[in-house]
Amino acid sequence: MAQTSIFEANGRTVEYVDEGEGPVPLVLIHGIGRTGEALGVIAHYLASEAGFHVVQIGADVVDDVIAVMDHLGIEDAWIGGHGSGGTLARRVVAEHHERSNGLLLLGVEDEDIALAPALPVLIVQATDDDVTPPVNGERLQATAPERASIKTVAGADHHFPVTHPIETAVIIEEYLDWD
């Protein structure tokens, strides 16, 4: 696994992991209170096995995500996250759509954040998730059915990025088709 780095953004300490290389980076935002273990296996698989450039960020505000992207010289990326990290990703993309190539949501929180126009959206939902239930993803997908896709992880709960990391990573890899 790659090593965690620390960046001072707007007076706050932001942890990030920068791993792999690829044509367009994938920025993954951890949910509140989560660290690298939640998305670490997915990120490592995508970086080492699928040839992606993956940046994991432990941030709570939009400006910190953008600051880390600027620090790493990332002009634009697919931006996503799990649970509350996905909600922050939605805010980042809504406020900075010019910095995003698409949105990746691993479990959708029930938040009223409009999808940025014209960008593709991949929603990955676990069938047995009672924290971010599949209906949340279905409602969001219905707001932009021409560009939002839903993929499911059968038999998994809200912790599917930890309990089903390779299955989740393969869904992302196949959707983005970068290799």
Side-chain angles (χ1 to χ4, degrees), residues 41-152:
V41 174
I42 292 170
H44 185 69
Y45 174 89
L46 291 171
S48 65
E49 300 297 322
F52 285 35
H53 177 194
V54 184
V55 178
Q56 299 174 67
I57 301 176
D60 296 327
V61 296
V62 169
D63 290 345
D64 291 353
V65 175
I66 296 299
V68 171
M69 288 175 66
D70 288 344
H71 172 71
L72 296 174
I74 297 172
E75 303 247 345
D76 51 58
W78 267 81
I79 300 173
H82 174 242
S84 59
T87 298
L88 180 55
R90 287 169 67 183
R91 287 188 182 106
V92 171
V93 172
E95 295 177 25
H96 298 277
H97 63 275
E98 75 284 354
R99 302 292 300 267
S100 178
N101 298 308
L103 178 63
L104 168 64
L105 301 173
L106 305 175
V108 175
E109 290 188 322
D110 188 16
E111 296 285 334
D112 187 21
I113 303 168
L115 294 174
L119 293 173
V121 180
L122 172 60
I123 299 166
V124 182
Q125 289 284 162
T127 58
D128 299 336
D129 187 342
D130 59 357
V131 177
T132 55
V135 69
N136 293 354
E138 293 163 6
R139 278 196 297 260
L140 184 61
Q141 192 265 344
T143 68
E146 72 286 353
R147 59 192 175 87
S149 300
I150 296 178
K151 304 294 181 184
T152 58

Side-chain angles (χ1 to χ4, degrees), residues 1-2 19-21 26 28 39-54 56 161 164-174 179:
M1 297 283 182
E19 186 174 11
E21 297 179 16
L26 171 60
L28 295 175
L39 298 173
V41 174
I42 292 170
H44 185 69
Y45 174 89
L46 291 171
S48 65
E49 300 297 322
F52 285 35
H53 177 194
V54 184
Q56 299 174 67
H164 296 73
I166 303 305
E167 184 177 349
T168 304
V170 168
I171 289 170
I172 297 166
E173 177 187 16
E174 289 177 351
D179 63 355

